[in-house]
């Protein structure tokens, strides 16, 4: 029982985080040597750094047709938009679902659905607040097109944010991903967009909290209309 309780607090760390945690810890030691209250500030920041780079396992639904959230965070936008031109997915507007991650969310990104990565395209850009609509166009981004077994594609776009300065993509073109499989992360606040296939309605609402690889964004097999929600 104690082990179970411990596992809810102590999580695995993404490999990208070890160097940052080490730097924060080293600075904390120096701060203690300078002035003890500063050292405790360093302790808090080091714990936050560990927490930021956590990489917990998730329980991913495995029924065919379910599309899950690629990131932890909240739904900041749901609107029609054309996928990034560099993915060469056409000029037709599709439903775009945006998940905004703040600096307290887990920032490991996961595949919303299983399939082959048909294209990966990186584009440099600005570092505007990732919650803004224009961040999809102006900000630095890394885009993936995932081709499902039935031939349809979805676009997944990692977007840098106001303080984010590195997008990490750990997969390659031609690689096959399972639903919920890790494919990268973004450091220190950002956003991930998912472009749904034509005719597919989202099963989430603005402001809804997402859990990466667990929360279902859409069901490709369902005729259910777009869901609505209200704060309570």
């Amino acid at each position: 029982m104690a082990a179970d309780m411990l596992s809810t607090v102590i999580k695995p760390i993404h490999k990208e985080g070890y160097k940052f945690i080490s730097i924060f810890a080293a600075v904390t030691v120096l701060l203690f040597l300078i002035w003890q209250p500063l050292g405790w500030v360093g302790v808090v920041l080091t714990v936050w750094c560990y927490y930021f780079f956590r990489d917990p396992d998730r329980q991913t639904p495995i029924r065919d047709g379910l599309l899950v959230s690629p990131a932890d965070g909240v739904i900041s936008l749901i609107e029609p938009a054309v996928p990034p031109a560099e993915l060469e997915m056409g000029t037709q507007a599709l439903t775009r679902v945006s998940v905004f991650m703040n600096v307290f969310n887990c920032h490991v990104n996961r595949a919303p659905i299983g399939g082959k990565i048909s294209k990966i395209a990186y584009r440099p850009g600005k570092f505007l607040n990732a919650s803004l609509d224009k961040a999809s166009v102006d900000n630095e981004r890394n885009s993936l097109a995932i081709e499902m077994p039935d031939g349809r594609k979805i676009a997944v776009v990692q977007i840098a944010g106001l303080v984010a300065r590195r997008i990490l993509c750990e997969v390659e073109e031609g690689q096959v991903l399972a639903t919920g499989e890790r494919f990268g992360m973004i450091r220190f606040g950002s956003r991930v967009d998912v472009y749904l296939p034509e005719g597919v309605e989202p099963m989430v609402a603005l402001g809804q909290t997402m859990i990466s690889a667990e929360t279902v964004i859409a069901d490709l097999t369902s005729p259910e209309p777009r869901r609505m929600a209200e704060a309570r």
Side-chain angles (χ1 to χ4, degrees):
M1 187 177 196
D4 289 342
M5 292 179 63
L6 195 61
S7 67
T8 63
V9 178
I10 299 177
K11 300 295 183 183
I13 298 297
H14 189 277
K15 61 183 181 182
E16 185 81 356
Y18 287 110
K19 59 184 177 183
F20 288 95
I21 296 171
S22 298
I23 292 170
F24 273 68
V27 171
T28 296
V29 172
L30 292 176
L31 291 176
F32 268 115
L33 294 174
I34 296 170
W35 189 40
Q36 189 173 17
L38 282 178
W40 287 112
V41 173
V43 169
V44 172
L45 293 176
T46 301
V47 171
W48 168 80
C49 187
Y50 158 78
Y51 189 67
F52 177 88
F53 285 103
R54 69 196 184 279
D55 184 13
D57 290 332
R58 296 289 166 82
Q59 299 300 310
T60 302
I62 56 175
R63 178 170 69 75
D64 289 344
L66 294 182
L67 193 151
V68 299
S69 178
D72 286 12
V74 298
I75 300 295
S76 59
L77 293 167
I78 300 177
E79 60 187 6
V82 177
E86 57 266 30
L87 288 181
E88 301 174 350
M89 289 178 56
T91 58
Q92 180 177 349
L94 303 173
T95 299
R96 181 177 67 199
V97 179
S98 301
V99 181
F100 175 73
M101 298 177 282
N102 65 37
V103 294
F104 297 105
N105 291 128
C106 174
H107 274 58
V108 176
N109 303 143
R110 295 170 178 260
I113 202 164
K116 184 178 73 173
I117 302 174
S118 59
K119 192 172 184 63
I120 299 176
Y122 168 79
R123 200 206 70 170
K126 299 178 182 178
F127 296 95
L128 304 173
N129 187 331
S131 64
L132 301 176
D133 180 39
K134 61 182 179 180
S136 295
V137 177
D138 295 337
N139 280 23
E140 175 179 316
R141 68 187 183 218
N142 186 69
S143 305
L144 290 77
I146 300 177
E147 183 175 344
M148 297 177 287
D150 64 6
R152 289 185 294 175
K153 295 181 180 180
I154 67 164
V156 186
V157 186
Q158 298 169 287
I159 301 173
L162 187 64
V163 294
R165 285 299 182 271
R166 186 180 180 194
I167 296 174
L168 179 65
C169 183
E170 301 175 304
V171 294
E172 300 176 349
E173 289 185 3
Q175 187 172 337
V176 176
L177 296 177
T179 303
E181 186 174 348
R182 299 165 177 85
F183 72 86
M185 75 174 301
I186 320 175
R187 285 206 308 246
F188 305 125
S190 42
R191 188 174 116 197
V192 180
D193 289 349
V194 178
Y195 292 76
L196 305 181
E198 181 183 1
V200 175
E201 295 291 342
M203 300 177 70
V204 291
L206 287 174
Q208 185 174 337
T209 300
M210 298 287 101
I211 300 178
S212 175
E214 292 190 0
T215 307
V216 174
I217 285 183
D219 184 350
L220 306 185
T221 67
S222 174
E224 181 180 343
R226 181 171 172 175
R227 288 190 179 181
M228 305 300 290
E230 60 182 19
R232 291 183 179 175

Short mmCIF file of all heavy atoms in Angstrom, two decimals, residues 99 146 187:
data_model
loop_
_atom_site.label_atom_id
_atom_site.label_comp_id
_atom_site.label_asym_id
_atom_site.label_seq_id
_atom_site.Cartn_x
_atom_site.Cartn_y
_atom_site.Cartn_z
N VAL A 99 -4.92 21.84 -27.65
CA VAL A 99 -4.71 21.56 -26.22
C VAL A 99 -3.57 22.45 -25.74
O VAL A 99 -2.43 22.32 -26.20
CB VAL A 99 -4.36 20.08 -25.99
CG1 VAL A 99 -4.19 19.82 -24.49
CG2 VAL A 99 -5.44 19.16 -26.57
N ILE A 146 -0.24 11.66 -39.69
CA ILE A 146 -0.35 10.24 -39.35
C ILE A 146 -1.42 9.62 -40.23
O ILE A 146 -2.58 10.04 -40.23
CB ILE A 146 -0.71 10.05 -37.87
CG1 ILE A 146 0.37 10.66 -36.97
CG2 ILE A 146 -0.88 8.57 -37.55
CD1 ILE A 146 0.07 10.57 -35.49
N ARG A 187 9.36 22.00 -24.34
CA ARG A 187 9.82 22.50 -23.05
C ARG A 187 9.16 23.82 -22.66
O ARG A 187 9.16 24.77 -23.45
CB ARG A 187 11.35 22.70 -23.07
CG ARG A 187 12.14 21.42 -22.99
CD ARG A 187 13.50 21.64 -22.39
NE ARG A 187 14.26 22.71 -23.02
CZ ARG A 187 15.38 22.52 -23.72
NH1 ARG A 187 15.84 21.29 -23.89
NH2 ARG A 187 16.03 23.54 -24.22
#
